[in-house]
Amino acid sequence: MSDQGMLAREETARYARHLTLPEVGTEGQVKLKSASVLVVGTGGLGSPVALYLAAAGVGRLGIIDFDRVEYSNLQRQIIHGSEDVGRPKVESAAESIGNVNPLIQIDRHDEAFTSANAMRIAADYDIVIDGTDNFATRYLVNDVCVLLGKPNCYGSIFRFEGQASVFGLPGGPCYRCLYPKPPDPGTIPNCAEGGVLGILPGIVGTLQATEAIKLILGIGESLSGRLLLLDALEMKFRELKVRRDPTCPLCGDAPTITAPIDYDQFCGTPKQDAAQSPWDIEPTELKRRLEAGQPLTILDVRKQHEYDICNLGGTLIPLDELPTRLDELDRTRPIVVHCKLGMRSAKAVQILRDAGFPDVSNLNGGIIRWSKQIDPTVETY
Amino acid sequence: MKVIIPTALRKHTDGQNHLSITATTVQDALEQVVTAHPQLRSSLFDDRNQLVSYVNVFVNDRNIRDLENEATPLRETDEILLVPAIAGG
Ligand SMILES: [Zn+2]
């Protein structure tokens, strides 16, 4: 072995249980020490992934996240603590990782993972872990991994369900082979809307970390070519076969995707300033109307539990109850409808307009944009 | 045979996590499922009545794209899984 082969005494003590395992041993531990892994997202999945990879002695861990810690993260994002609320996630995560294992190197990328920087950032690592929380970034991670020839340890969660696999290994499938196109926005709710069992990312994230460790050590059977499905309510794992699609535009025999694309466009992600309804109003306009004392009804079409987190003092009628509760609203007053991000309220505006309400508008970007642009004291989630 | 309904689609099946049906092909099975629960149709089929690409249909552990797509024949013991893309993290 090279000089790298030498483990310091504090390392042999720390990794004793690995060194005892014939499948790891000193040689394997040195492989871990020489390895580098990029964890994209330090949320529910990224938390256990980063902590376990650090504890296992992966020599260099990159963490990338643009977000800050919020109270609603703490139910599952165990790398962050209560006193970290408001801090950049990367900073908070790096501190926790350093506590677990001060012997490894941590690269902090306090920024979003985008088409503009992803190739450059990921190129510097052996393995990438997909711990993101939206389709656009998942396709970005997948594409970058295939383009750079890096394994992508994939995991995804929703409510009580999880998925895990390894994409981008030679001869194996990629995420696009399994899901050629993302759902239309709004068809599959995200965790913020649909909820998620806090423990679930702990299970799925540790599966991802296990796959990364196996790849580094070169042991066992990779999940490449298999999709592991978890239903935590039944506590049932199912294993499905996933084959590389020869017609895949990314990893197929005649690929057409040769560089990262515009993923917001690909996924139809609503841009914050993009129109959501023909009857949009800007947060600044609502503020002006309220300050001018104009009579209006604020209608909140989110769920009760969302209302309990934050609200604008509006009338609460959840979108799915709206069609049967129209008579609770005063048709003679202007109505401004909002939800979390503006998609549900856009539907509500259409329902009200169709029912003959004459003056109904949609608060573009929802209460989240309101919080960002007008009133930061409104809690976000 | 059983059709397994994932969490994301259970709001369309009154919360049921599986449906029991008798069908000879995947096409037949999916038709029965959306007939029994019409709200499921827009989650499974597009405007041209094609299966949407973000929901994979598996018969046991095989994707119907690797079999005979919707013409894939079924046996009584088969399990049909609807596996939508999920993105949470
Ligand atoms: Zn592919």
Side-chain angles (χ1 to χ4, degrees), chain A residues 174 177 248 251:
Chain A
C174 81
C177 297
C248 174
C251 77

Side-chain angles (χ1 to χ4, degrees), chain A residues 142 146 172-178 244-245 248-252:
Chain A
N142 178 69
V146 171
C174 81
Y175 185 65
R176 284 178 185 269
C177 297
L178 180 63
R244 188 183 76 98
D245 176 2
C248 174
L250 182 69
C251 77

